[in-house]
């Protein structure tokens, strides 16, 4: 994505010893780059959400394993130290499957016999592949999702109204985004598109990140409070919903940011197509029952009790509730496959059923 005329990915390597990220906690008010030099830096950046979003968490963790190999080379016990680093990174956030997937993919490459120098080089190579694949798969999600928007435009004539929840955009991946890729592709193809952006309390990834991204791209959009989607759908103001996912089972159950399930229910009730866009790295091929098996992150209650905003050039946190009120903060919910119209992947669009998913990804047949 271009920021002030400069093309950025969301994570990249610098020299031979560090990675650079955009500190997403400061957006949309400040665009600040941050260097991560150690596994501790990477673990903190993921846990505290300097970087977030399934694809980007995975890509950053992949590069984190490269830094882990560099650090482990100075330890007396390379392999055990590397495994400790891998466990540390995997423990940062539980829901996005891309995290463990990326860590394990780099670990497998390093497991080949070789000198520590060769292992460091192998880790970097694989981390680069993970990042490149993420960007390319998201670009292809755009290619496959575009006909859905084109068909709606040709049928109705006017702008296509898409509702999205949270941020499954460029900022949640290495480039392009998943849910946003078909939107950007339509915009570039000259199809008029307008996006309803759910603010996505409590972290406000919609108002802070999705609105910023779409604005930078010149895509018309309107920010709405989280509970607005049902009303919009009842009044024919949403043509389709496209959301991302942090983990999708082999049967098509979808974990995504808290509130997604309610949007899917409203979509079902109003006959609005509900699509989920994902690169294949977000499938969890070991799981069949999303509700029972997908771990749902619970974060601190203060994220609910306080609003974090920008006032006179500074970040401030404002208390929204009685100081002693207990708050629960579930980060994600599960949308059952029966509520999902289709999955938009890098290989094409399929129904959210085990057999349709396997038709696209036959190498995962049991
Ligand atoms: O808590 P986050 O910001 O890491 O959550 C991730 C998300 O932004 C969403 O759930 C998103 O829709 C899917 S991630 C591609």
């Amino acid at each position: 994505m271009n920021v002030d005329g400069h093309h950025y990915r969301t994570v990249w390597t610098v020299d031979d010893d560090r990675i650079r990220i955009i500190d997403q906690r400061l957006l949309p008010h400040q665009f600040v780059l941050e260097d991560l030099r150690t596994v501790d830096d990477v673990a903190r950046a993921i846990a505290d959400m300097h970087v977030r979003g399934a694809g980007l968490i995975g890509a950053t963790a992949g590069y984190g394993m490269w830094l882990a190999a560099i650090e482990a080379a100075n330890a007396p016990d390379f392999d055990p130290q590397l495994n400790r680093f891998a466990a540390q990174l995997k423990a940062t956030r539980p829901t996005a499957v891309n995290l463990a997937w990326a860590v394990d993919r780099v670990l497998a490459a390093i497991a080949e016999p070789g000198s520590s120098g060769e292992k460091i080089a192998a880790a970097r190579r694989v981390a680069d592949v993970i990042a490149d694949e993420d960007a390319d798969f998201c670009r292809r999600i755009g290619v496959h999702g575009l006909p859905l928007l084109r068909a709606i435009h040709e049928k109705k004539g006017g702008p296509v109204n898409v509702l999205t929840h949270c941020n499954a955009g460029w900022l949640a991946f290495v480039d392009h985004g998943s849910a946003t890729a078909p939107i950007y592709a339509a915009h570039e193809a000259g199809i008029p598109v307008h996006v309803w952006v759910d603010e996505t309390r409590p972290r406000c990834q919609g108002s802070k990140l999705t609105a910023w991204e779409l604005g930078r791209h010149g895509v018309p959009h309107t920010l709405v409070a989280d509970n607005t989607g049902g009303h919009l759908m009842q009044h024919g103001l949403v043509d389709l919903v496209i959301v991302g996912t942090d983990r999708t089972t082999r049967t098509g159950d979808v974990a995504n940011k808290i509130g997604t399930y309610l949007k899917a229910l409203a979509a079902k009730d109003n006959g609005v197509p509900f699509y989920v866009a994902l690169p294949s790295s977000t499938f969890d091929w070991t799981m069949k029952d999303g509700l029972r098996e997908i771990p749902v992150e619970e974060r601190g209650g203060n994220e609910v009790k306080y609003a974090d905003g920008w006032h006179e050039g500074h970040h401030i946190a404002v208390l929204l509730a009685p100081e002693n009120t207990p708050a629960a903060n579930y980060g994600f919910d599960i949308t059952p496959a029966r509520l999902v119209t289709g999955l938009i992947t890098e290989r094409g669009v399929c129904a959210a059923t085990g057999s349709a998913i396997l038709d696209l990804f036959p190498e995962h047949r049991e």
Side-chain angles (χ1 to χ4, degrees):
M1 168 163 161
N2 286 336
V3 178
D4 298 331
H6 187 94
H7 180 262
Y8 285 94
R9 283 185 165 191
T10 52
V11 62
W12 63 98
T13 55
V14 178
D15 299 333
D16 285 331
D17 61 351
R18 66 206 132 108
I19 65 176
R20 191 163 285 167
I21 59 162
I22 301 159
D23 185 348
Q24 299 193 16
R25 296 171 308 164
L26 304 176
L27 289 171
H29 311 294
Q30 290 174 304
F31 186 81
V32 174
L33 304 179
E34 180 184 4
D35 284 1
L36 309 177
R37 297 168 188 273
T38 65
V39 177
D40 281 349
D41 287 347
V42 174
R44 194 168 4 88
I46 296 173
D48 294 346
M49 296 175 68
H50 307 209
V51 290
R52 28 65 54 204
L56 179 55
I57 290 172
T60 307
Y63 283 123
M65 286 304 294
W66 167 55
L67 297 181
I70 295 173
E71 278 188 78
N74 294 320
D77 51 349
F78 185 91
D79 287 329
Q81 181 58 44
L82 203 65
N83 287 328
R84 283 194 290 275
F85 282 141
Q88 181 185 355
L89 288 173
K90 282 184 185 181
T92 51
R93 295 195 69 192
T95 302
V97 71
N98 303 58
L99 172 59
W101 169 85
V103 168
D104 287 340
R105 191 165 167 186
V106 179
L107 261 186
I110 299 178
E112 300 295 319
S115 67
S116 56
E118 286 165 341
K119 287 175 185 247
I120 291 168
R124 185 177 188 161
R125 245 188 339 269
V126 176
D128 279 338
V129 169
I130 290 171
D132 290 347
E133 261 181 24
D134 184 86
D136 183 51
F137 286 5
C138 284
R139 184 189 61 76
R140 289 201 251 163
I141 287 170
V143 171
H144 294 299
L146 173 61
L148 298 171
L149 279 77
R150 192 189 297 283
I152 292 170
H153 173 60
E154 284 171 359
K155 191 166 170 204
K156 73 176 257 199
V160 181
N161 286 305
V162 182
L163 182 136
T164 193
H165 190 69
C166 199
N167 174 264
W170 162 71
L171 288 165
F173 289 87
V174 174
D175 210 344
H176 307 287
S178 60
T180 52
I183 294 167
Y184 291 139
H187 183 67
E188 271 152 39
I191 296 168
V193 53
H194 164 264
V195 184
W196 296 108
V197 178
D198 284 350
E199 63 175 341
T200 319
R201 285 272 298 147
R203 296 283 302 208
C204 293
Q205 291 94 330
S207 55
K208 292 181 175 177
L209 305 178
T210 304
W212 181 77
E213 263 197 65
L214 293 173
R216 290 278 161 160
H217 260 79
V219 177
H221 60 282
T222 306
L223 180 66
V224 288
D226 281 330
N227 294 324
T228 311
H231 169 81
L232 295 173
M233 292 182 211
Q234 285 175 321
H235 290 273
L237 296 171
V238 179
D239 296 307
L240 83 166
V241 179
I242 311 179
V243 297
T245 168
D246 300 83
R247 189 185 296 239
T248 290
T249 64
R250 61 186 296 130
T251 53
D253 293 339
V254 169
N256 194 48
K257 184 54 60 189
I258 192 78
T260 302
Y261 171 55
L262 293 177
K263 297 295 151 10
L265 284 174
K268 187 77 165 178
D269 193 45
N270 290 282
V272 173
F274 184 94
Y275 283 94
V276 177
L278 72 161
S280 52
S281 52
T282 307
F283 280 113
D284 186 332
W285 301 104
T286 70
M287 290 189 179
K288 291 185 172 162
D289 184 334
L291 214 46
R292 283 176 196 276
E293 296 178 281
I294 297 178
V296 169
E297 177 177 25
E298 290 182 51
R299 299 182 65 85
N302 278 351
E303 290 185 355
V304 177
K305 287 172 65 177
Y306 287 83
D308 168 73
W310 188 251
H311 181 66
E312 295 182 349
H314 297 285
H315 266 273
I316 55 163
V318 180
L319 183 61
L320 299 174
E323 203 157 353
N324 296 326
T325 294
N329 187 6
Y330 297 96
F332 301 89
D333 59 24
I334 312 300
T335 299
R338 67 174 183 278
L339 299 179
V340 177
T341 308
L343 303 173
I344 311 172
T345 78
E346 75 270 13
R347 293 196 191 167
V349 180
C350 69
T353 63
S355 61
I357 293 169
L358 286 178
D359 284 345
L360 278 187
F361 298 94
E363 67 273 30
H364 291 286
R365 283 188 203 286
E366 282 172 326

